[in-house]
Each structure stands twice: as C-alpha cells, then as structure tokens.
Amino acid sequence: MGETITFWVLAVVSVSAALGLVLSRRAVYCALMLGVVMLSLAVLYAVQDAPFLAAVQIVVYTGAVMMLFLFVLMLVGVDSSDSLVETIKGQRFWAIVAGAGFAVLLGLAVGNAVLSPPAGLLGATQTAGGNVPALAQLIFTRHVFAFEVASALLITAALAAMVLTHRERLTEKPTQRALARARFLTGGSVVLPGPGVYARHNANDMPALLPDGSVSELSVNRVIARHDVEDERFPDDPKLAEAIKQAVEEESK
Amino acid sequence: MNGIQPPTIEYGQLMPLLLVFGAAIVGVLIEAFAPRYLRKAIHVPLTMLTLLGAFGLVIVQVLRDGVPTAAVAMGAIAVDGPSLFIWGVILVLSVVSVLLINDDDNFVASAAAVPGSPDEEEAIARGGAHTEVYPLALFAIGGMMLFAASNDLLIMFVGLEVMSLPLYLLCGLARRRRLLSQESSVKYFLLGAFSSAFFLYGMAMIYGYAGTVDLGGINDALGRVGGQDTLLYLGTALLGVGLFFKIGAAPFQAWKPDVYQGAPTPITALMASGTLVAAFGAVLRVFWVALGNLDWDWRPVMWGIAILTMIVGAILAITQTDIKRMLAYSSIAHAGFLLTGVIATGEATQNANSLSALLFYLLAYGITTVGAFAVVTMVRDAGGEAGHLSRWAGLGKRSPALAGIFAFFLLAFAGIPLTSGFFGKYAVFAAAVAGGALPLVVVGVVSSAIAAFFYVRVIVLMFFSEPAADGPTIAVPSAGTAAVVALAAAATVVLGVYPQPVFDLADAAASSLFVR
Amino acid sequence: MEPAEKIIQHAGGVIGVSWLMIALPLLGAAILLLGGRRTDRWGHLLGVAMSLASFVVAVLAFVELIGLPEAQRRRGVELFQFIPGMVDMGVLIDPLSISFALLITGVGSLIHIYSIGYMSHDPARRRFFAYLNLFVAAMLLLVLADNYVGLYVGWEGVGLASYLLIGFWQQKPSAATAAQKAFIVNRVGDFGLAIGIFVIWTTFGSVAYGPVFGAAGGADQGVLTVIGLLLLLGACGKSAQVPLQSWLLDAMEGPTPVSALIHAATMVTAGVYLVVRSGAIFELAPTAQLVVTIVGVVTLLAGAIIGTAKDDIKKGLAGSTMSQIGYMMLAAGLGPAGYAFAIAHLITHGFFKANLFLGAGSIMHAMNDEVDMRKYGGLRKFLPVTFATFFIGYLAIIGFPLLSGYFTKDGIIETAMHHSAILGWLAVVGAGITGFYMSRMVFMTFFGEKRWADDAHPHESPAVMTWPLIILSVGSIFLGGYLILGNTFMQFLAPAVGRPAELPVFHFFSVPGLATLALVAVGAAFAWMKYGRAQVPVVAPRGSFLTTFARRDLYGDAINESLFMRPGQWATRFAVFFDNRGIDGLVNGLAAMIGGTSGRLRRIQTGFARSYALSILFGAAVVAGALLLVGNL
C-alpha cells in the first residue's frame, strides 16, 4: 500500500519534472529538474528493496553527475542561451506527432502484456544472501567481462576530454618580468593604479571603473543589469546607470 | 560470507581481444610518459604489431583448437566460427586502415585550438598531429571485435559503446575543414547516443520478457513465456533500431553521409569497413541467435527496411556532388544488399549458406572500401582533399594509374564480374533466392543497376572529361597509403578471379553457425 | 569412327601443375605492367624467361602424357570453383591441347627472343613484352581450359592482347584505327560465341567439355546446328574467315613479331581449335559442318586472291594466312579424318608462316621499315641468312615435295577430294594461286635489280633475330613429314578427337597431288615471267579490274560499308530520331524520375541533427508499430 502511494506521488513528480526538463528555457532549471527526476528514481529504487542502487543513484548521479552539469553551466555562463526559434518547417509538429505515436505504441504494448505477479527483489536475491551480495555475484561472475571492459570506456572518455580541451603550451609562459618589460616597451600607462584606489564597491552588481574614471563596459553583469532595467533600480551615479542601460540595450539588439 | 565462486575466464580464446585492449592501454601510457617527439615512433609499430599479432592469434587458434563450441568468459562472449572469421576480417581491415591513419596530413595538430585562430596556426607550424589517435583507434577496434562476438545483450551494449565512443572523437579530428569535421563529430555523437538509448530501451523490454539478457536464454524464453508477446515485439523493434542505426539502414541512415564526409578520411575508411562488419556481426547475433525463432515476425519488417535501404542508398547517391558523400550512400545501399542475406534464414544449411555469403561479402566490400577511401586521400587541392566531384574531372588523363585503380574499385562496388564485388553480391543474392526472398533480390538488382549509374558516371568523369586547368594534384603517396591501395586492389582482383579459398574459409566458419 | 576417350581426373606430376603454363606468363605480364619503369632494364629478359619456362612445363607435361597408355591420355586437373554452382575451372591436358600448348610456347618463345633484337630501339619495349606475355597466358588459357567459359575468358584475353599489340604504335593513326577495327569485327564473332555458350548452358546444364560432349548425342539436332553455327561465327571472327576477314590485313600495322606470333602462327588458329574441340557437336550437326567447309573454301580462295595483288609484303603474307587458315577450316569441317590434317597443317603453318613473317621483319629491319616490295629487289646477296630461311618457308608453303607444307596441305586436299570433288578441286586451285603469289613475293624481294630508296643500306640482322629464323626453318622442312607419314599425328590425336573408321594412306603421287604440283609450278612460272624476268615497275601499274578487285581486298571493306555501315548509320539515325521522341520519353522520364526523387529526398537531408533524430524517431515508431502489427496478425 505504502509502495503504491509512493509510486503514484513520485510518478507525478518525476514525470512533471522530466517535462519541465525538456520544456524549460533555462539551462540551470533543466539541470535542477534533472536532479528531481534522479532523486525520484532513487526513492523508487529504495522503495523496491534496492537500497544499494538507491544510494549509488544519489551518490553518482545526483552527487557527481549533476554537480558536473551545474559546474559546466556556471563556467559557460548562466546567462548564455541558444536561440530556441525553430527554423525547420514542420519539425515541431512532426516531432510531436512521432513522439505521441511512439508513446501510444509503448503504452499499448506494455499495457497489453499479461505480467505475472512480481516475485519481489527480496525474494529474488534471497539465495545469494541479500541485495548487495546478489549484485556482487552478478558483477563479478556472470558479467565480470562487461564490468572490466567498461574501463575501456572510461579511459576513452578521459583521453577524449584531454584531446579536446588540453592545449599544449607551445611557447614559454611569460614571466612577470617579461610582462613588465613588454608593458614598458609599449609605453602607455606605465604605472597601474594600486588595488582598491578607484573601486567604490566590490559588489557584483556594480560595474568597475577604468583608471580614467569611466565605466568599464566589460564588467557590467548582464543578468543583473537586465533585472535592474526591468525593475528600474538604477544606481545613483548617472554614469553607472547609463552604462547599465547601454549594456541591456546592446544585448537586446 | 556464502562465498562467490571466482569466474573462469578463457584467456587463451580471448587473447586477440585482450591483446588489442592491452595495447590500447599501453598506448595511453605512452601518451602520458613518452616525450612528444618519440610518441609516433612508438605508436605505429606498437599498433601494427598488435593488430598483426591479434590476427596471428586468431589464425593460431583456428589451426590449433578449431572452432570452440561454447561461450567463454562466463557466457559473455562467443568465440565461434563466425566470430573468428569476423575478428580476422576486422583485424585485416584495421591493419589496412591504420596504415592510412599513419599519415600526419590527416589529423589535426591541436584539437583544442579554435579553428582559424592564431593558436591553430602556431600548432600547425610546429608540425605533428595528435598521436592519441592510435590508442583511440585500438579501443574502437577492440570494441568492434567485442560487439560482433558478444553473447549477451549487456556485453553487446558495452561493446557498442566501446566501439563508438572513440569513433565519435576521431571524427572530429580532421586536419582540414575542421568545422565540418567537428560538426560531424557532434552529430554522430548526438545521434549515436539517441540510438543507443533505443537499444537500451529494447534491451530492458526484452529483459522484461525473458528475464535474461543472455542471447541463448532469450531464444529459450521464446517458447516458454506467454502473454507478454507485445513486450517482446517492442523490444525486438527497439533493439533493431539501435543496430540498424549502426549499419546505416534507412530510415536511420541520415548520419552516414554527413559523418563520412566530415571525418578524416582514414577514419571514414575504418568506420565504413570495420564498423559495418562488426555491426552486421551483432545484427546476426541478435536476429539469428536470440530471435531466430521469431523470424516469421521480424522478417516482413526487415524486408521493408532492406528495400528502403537499397533504394534510398542508390537513389540519393545519384545527386551527390561530393565523392565521400557518394561513397557514404553507396555504403548505405550495400548495407541494404547485406540485409537481404540476413533475411534469408531457414533450415540450418540455408542459414550456413547465407552466413557464409554474408561473411564473404563483408570481407570483399570492406577491403574495396578502404582502398577507395585511400585513393580519396591522395587527390588533393590547396585546401586538403578535393572532395567535389567536379574536381575529379579528367583525373584519368593526369594520373591514369590512380584513376584506373579507383575505377576498378567503383566497378567492384557496382558488382561487375571479375571483381570481388560480383561474387559478394552473387553469393548473397543466391542465398536470398534460396531463402525465398526473390522479390527482394529483384529490388536489389534494380538498385544495383541504379547504383552502377553513378559509379560509372564517376568513371566517365575521370576518363572522358577535360581536366580543369587548376585541377587537384595527386599527392605522392606515403609508403603506407601506396601499400593500402595496392593491397586493396590486389584483394579485389584475387577475390574476383579466384574467390574459392575465401569462400571455403567462410563456409567452414559458417558451417557450425553460432554458439548459443 | 571411334569416339574420343573419357576425361580422367589427374593429380600430381607435371600435369598436376600444368596451370603454371598459364600462371607464369601472366605473372610476367603483371610484373612488367605494374613494375613500371623500374623493370625497363631487364623486362624483356623476364618476358623471355617466363615464356621459356612455360615452354619447359609444356614439354615436361607432354613427356608425362605420352608416358601414359593411349586410352588414358585425357587428363583433367581441377583447379577451383569459378562461378559457384556453374563453372568449375580446370585444366584439360590431352593430345589436342598439349599440341597447341607446345606450338604456342615454342613458337612464342622464339618470337620473344627475336623481339629482343627487333624492338631493341623502341622506348616502350618493356610494355611490348608485357603484352606478349599477356597474350601467351591468355592463349594458353584458351586451349587448356576444360570448359567453354574458361575458353571464352582466354578468347577475350587474346582479343585484348591482340588489340593492344596491333595498336602498339598508337601514335600512328593507322595503327590505332586498325586496332579498333580488329576489336570491333571480333566483337561480332565473340558475340556469337557468347550466345553459343549460353545455348550450350541452357541445353546441357553445364559448360565443361566432358559433360557437354557426353550429352551431345541426346540433344536435338536443330539445337546442335544452332550451337555449331554460333561457334562457327566466333571462329570466323578470331580466325579472319569470310565474312569477318576484313580486320586481319589492317592488323599488320602492329610490330612484325606480333604479326608473326598472333596474326599468323597462333591466335588466328583459335577458330580452328574451337571447331576441332567441339567436334562432338559438329559431327552431330551435318549442316553446321557443311557451312564450316564452305567458309573454309571461300576463305582459302579469297585469301589467295588478295595475296596476289598486295605490294606490301606483310599484307601479302596476311592474305596468305587467311588462305591457309581457310584450308584448316575446310579440314576441320570434314570430321575426324580432317582434324589431324587441320591441326598438323596448323602446326606446320605456325612454323613456316612465323618463319616468313620474321623473315619479312628482318627485311624491313634492313630496309628502314620499308614494306613495299616494289622498292626491294636483289636482296638475296645482302641478306643471305634471311634469304635462305625465307626461301625454305616459301618452298614449305607452296607445298614443294617433301617439305612440311607438302604433307599437310596435300593431306587436306586429298581428304576434301574424298569428301566432295568440288571442294577438293577448289582447294587445288587455291594451291595453284598460292604458288603464284608466294613466288611473286620471293622474286620481287630477292631477285631482279635493286629498286631501293636512296637512303637504304641493307644489312643482315643480328644473331638474336637470325637464330629463331634458322630454328623455324628447320621445323618448316621436317615437321610435316614427321607428323603425317605413318599417321603419327593422327594416332596421337585420336584420344582427344576420335579416329576415322579407316586410316588414310599417304600417296606420294596421287592425281590431286600431281595436279596440285602442276598448278603450283604453273603459278610459279607465271610469277617468274611477270616479276622475275621482267622489270618490276616501282609504281604499281593500274592493272585490270581483277587486280583492282584483289587489291581492294575483294571489296571486303566496301561490302562491309554498304551492307552494314550505311544501313547501320540509317538505322542509327532512325533510332536516334525514335529515341528522342519515343523511348527517350520513357527512359529519360525514368531517369528524370529517379533524379527528381533523389533531389526531393535529398532535401530531407537538411544537415540538422534534430531533423535526423526526428527521422530516427519516426523510423523507430514505424518499426515498432509494424512489428506489433505483424506479431498480432
């Protein structure tokens, strides 16, 4: 009875989270929705007498994989977004048709199957002495080769990441001395202002000022600026306010 | 503890596989520890020796022990006659492809550098290329061997991924037209993941039906389990989708032209030959071993797919203007021809006939394909390979030998007598006729005729058109590339004139069919 | 008559590896063609070595074969399955095929050696030897194969080699045209042969000689006649018999050793081989046999007449070749009694005609490649060896008593006479004309006064060229007597082609023989009057309409032109017209439909991964739906 209630609750939660994952426009929301789906799955595993799998699900997926997703999103920038305008004629329509058709087929097929009453995981693993030993037995005997060969997959993945992202240093790393020399050679502002001289805020929503007192466009945080413009909350300094407005205008172009 | 019996692993029989994976890992270690200037000098002999050694091991195993009759590694892997033959074929094709890979001019100098950036120019100026391609290729080859020899769905899935993952990456490492190459890599990855999901879903369905992922166990369950047939059908369909994607059967073929075109040509050669062979090995295992008694149900569907594949491949190839895309569509059409052999099941002798025909076809087609792509690498423009067909005009006047060999390969694709392609097609179609698939053979012959049109068009273009004034140059081939072209041409001739020994070998490999 | 013996499977010994005969020259050709310039320095030596090696194998196989009891002298060697379930490739070594093999490799080797000298100044000598080796391999495949498909492969192979060699000096437009002409005319014959083989396959369910000839007795006579006529069409093409004779004269554009080897001694005799080999079929189809003899007689007269009017020494010899093959064809149409004479004449002709051609080559070598006999004259003092050997060949071909040609040609004439008086007397007339044109050739070339061009400095050829001439002339003297006297050759061939009911006896002075000799003497005397004693004008006189008739190759080309080319052009024009309106509508429509479908389908290939994924999803849904549907039916 408890299992049934849990199932129906989690079914609603996880399916709506999955839908949210697909339909949400913001990458961070998607990631969080994914987290919800994974957690629901973990609970379902636990309810079905598979505590080990539930723990692994949480540790590996919710813990590691999800965090990785979020890290990447943060690195890329939460405010960067792809265009969601569909350019291919009929793509959406046919995708919906195909997806719905496929779902109907799945539903028909699974619904029409006459399933014998389940034995339950506890019963199934009893001979091996419990869930974890049963799993161990399968992994280390029958499926040991698959288990070992999966390492090839991991090595490949690691190697692939290295190949795609690691850039060998082709020239010597410039020393501080070399940098200073280069700066003096080009002339320009020879002496940099000391730290903290011009900054009046270290808050993320305050743009930085350049040595000549003007606002550095580069330092305007687009997300916060957008909110500021929407809420008409501008800093007192007109120069800063102007810079924020400009940044938002530029972005919307 | 109630104690777990340690598993028995038949290392002797698995040796070719283990050797390839072991060498791949050693290759990774070389990447980590060997100085840059030495890496290639170590990788090339290591890779070649590994592949040749594994091939030798396969032969030794056949000669010494004959064909094993039981699955090994706790029932995970079936080292049977077809497996050993397919391993041999994959290894031969890999050796030839690695000879092609062994050419700095094909791979990017620094994959991490943004295309067109100063970083990239600097990396190119320093010379060299990524040497990681060697261990990656070895992993892919190991995956192919595993894929074709797997005896349960789980190991098949792992094999599928081990085979595909390195290929996804390798596709993105072309030295020239890098954006195209990276695009192809991403597409292949996304669609590959999509199809893998189908495969997994199907696997879950089948497991739900049979309660096992063992191919033999599924076969046993077919007669035993009742009332859940819909699960079985759904599982069969979804497993099929995953496999059809890999062989490039319509309507799952869309990735092939894009990926073949974008990938570095040696990798295209490896994919077009090795992957196809491995994927057909897996198709046969799933549909013959696990679902062999269900053939009455899957055969009509596969009929449709085979017909669609042959027609789509042949017809779409006609309007292609890029040589690699054209070869990709030709590969799709050939997948269709091969499917006619998969359909031709029946009694044990009929099965053995079809199987032997398929094995011969795979070998013949694979070798010719590698040769054709090797020729493609040699026809170059300022911007790399001259892919556009108009650039090939008049090639026969500039370089008659090369154009002649390429024309010969094309004739082999078309299945003209005295080439290996003829006997491959003949054997498969004969088996299909014997298996009662006459209409399918008619479609096959018609699409062969359509396909012959675009092969011959290229030949006409090469020999009867005036060469463009600024036409492509013919690169002086490295020893490896020259060897590949020579080997492939020789094999195409020999298999076309004197195919008997290979037929006998394929017959012997097929006679015992698959172990369960 | 006694039928041929059964074929016995053979393994081991030299016969077991007799395929080496084919493989060695083929390997030589492959090395020379693929090796490129690297092999330029020693390529010709390799070519000669391969040909000689093949000859050695042939001799050893021959020795092993005659070591066997007579009834067991047909040995089949299985090699491999060529087309599964249809053709098993194998080698058949029997007296017939080994005779050919010895001729091809023996004369072939001599001509290889001769070519070292003849082609020594040619920059493409390696390519020449590659083609020669290719020819030897293909010709051996033709005669050694144990089935019609193998024969056909060899048949096409020699056609290819012949094409390549006629057009060897492709920079000369005349050579290129001649090569194409030879190829196209041969196509007609090859087409007949191919269809003949198809009919054999549908009739007998096999293409191997053993089963086909074994079952020939049970087949319908009409079918056998059709097969025979189709095979004859093939033979006519390859052997330059009327009506497919027109290519041979033009084929003389090739280097002279080629003319000697391919267009005199070996390839052109392939048609005779085909007819004799298929004797079991022809003997059951008398109509086809009759047509063979008629073709033979017509050709032997036509060739002889053409030979009388040619001033080009090689074309004169080519006409003679046609004529001599006509004799062989005539004999081959006469059943087992004629086979031995046909093949014996073929072999002796191989020797003396190669001798004459190589002699002609030697003369041309001396005369700056001049071929016009009107510009020769008085050469016997300057080319003593060439003259001596050429003269022996001349005596052999006109049938001078006790030389090779005397025995073999006389045998044919007597057998023909025995068969039908008309055929026999026509053959006698042909022999008389032979006496005239050959004498004319000798007198114009070696006797009379010098009519050379100003820059000609005739000199004897090097030893590498004269030795083959000497060896060939020795064969031209003795071979005929050895083969014919006591029916040696007929006894030897019997296991392969059967034996006539009664063995012929050679009469030295029979009526036809004496008549032949008399006519030959008249011809020679006439030639002496016109060309030996009298002045030979350097520019050919206009001559009578008969001379023009002969000079124009009996209007063979004109006939072809008006009979085939013009109507062909009309038909083509009509077809093009019809094609544009009618068929094109259909075919182009089909092509356009396929192209259009292709273009439309191509638009689905958008290049967007998401649309590809959609197609996969669609496919998956359809596959799943279809399976569920099929499963629940």
Side-chain angles (χ1 to χ4, degrees), chain C residues 76-121:
Chain C
V77 183
E78 267 190 34
L79 292 182
F80 57 90
Q81 224 185 1
F82 183 51
I83 300 172
M86 205 171 137
V87 184
D88 291 337
M89 193 62 210
V91 167
L92 172 65
I93 301 285
D94 66 0
L96 180 61
S97 66
I98 202 75
S99 308
F100 267 89
L102 284 171
L103 174 73
I104 295 160
T105 54
V107 176
S109 299
L110 288 176
I111 288 169
H112 272 78
I113 294 168
Y114 176 91
S115 304
I116 297 178
Y118 190 84
M119 300 296 285
S120 57
H121 306 305

Side-chain angles (χ1 to χ4, degrees), chain B residues 331-486:
Chain B
S331 149
I332 292 168
H334 281 278
F337 299 144
L338 282 159
L339 277 179
T340 60
V342 177
I343 292 168
T345 54
E347 297 300 310
T349 49
Q350 164 67 17
N351 282 353
N353 273 340
S354 303
L355 181 57
S356 121
L358 284 171
L359 293 178
F360 181 86
Y361 197 122
L362 286 170
L363 175 66
Y365 173 72
I367 293 221
T368 309
T369 306
V370 178
F373 280 112
V375 174
V376 171
T377 63
M378 285 163 60
V379 182
R380 292 192 186 161
D381 254 346
E385 286 160 13
H388 200 275
L389 271 178
S390 63
R391 309 286 297 154
W392 286 60
L395 197 71
K397 297 201 172 103
R398 284 156 185 268
S399 175
L402 190 74
I405 291 177
F406 193 68
F408 184 64
F409 288 147
L410 291 177
L411 291 179
F413 285 142
I416 304 295
L418 292 185
T419 61
S420 59
F422 169 71
F423 284 111
K425 257 186 202 157
Y426 177 84
V428 168
F429 285 166
V433 169
L438 188 63
L440 208 54
V441 173
V442 171
V443 175
V445 171
V446 168
S447 43
S448 289
I450 300 176
F453 167 72
F454 60 79
Y455 296 129
V456 173
R457 201 184 53 176
V458 176
I459 297 176
V460 168
L461 193 68
M462 286 195 300
F463 285 97
F464 298 103
S465 299
E466 280 308 308
D470 57 339
T473 53
I474 307 302
V476 177
S478 64
T481 310
V484 172
V485 174

Side-chain angles (χ1 to χ4, degrees), chain C residues 204-228:
Chain C
F204 301 107
S206 169
V207 290
Y209 296 144
V212 170
F213 299 152
D220 179 57
Q221 200 183 359
V223 175
L224 288 175
T225 307
V226 167
I227 294 174

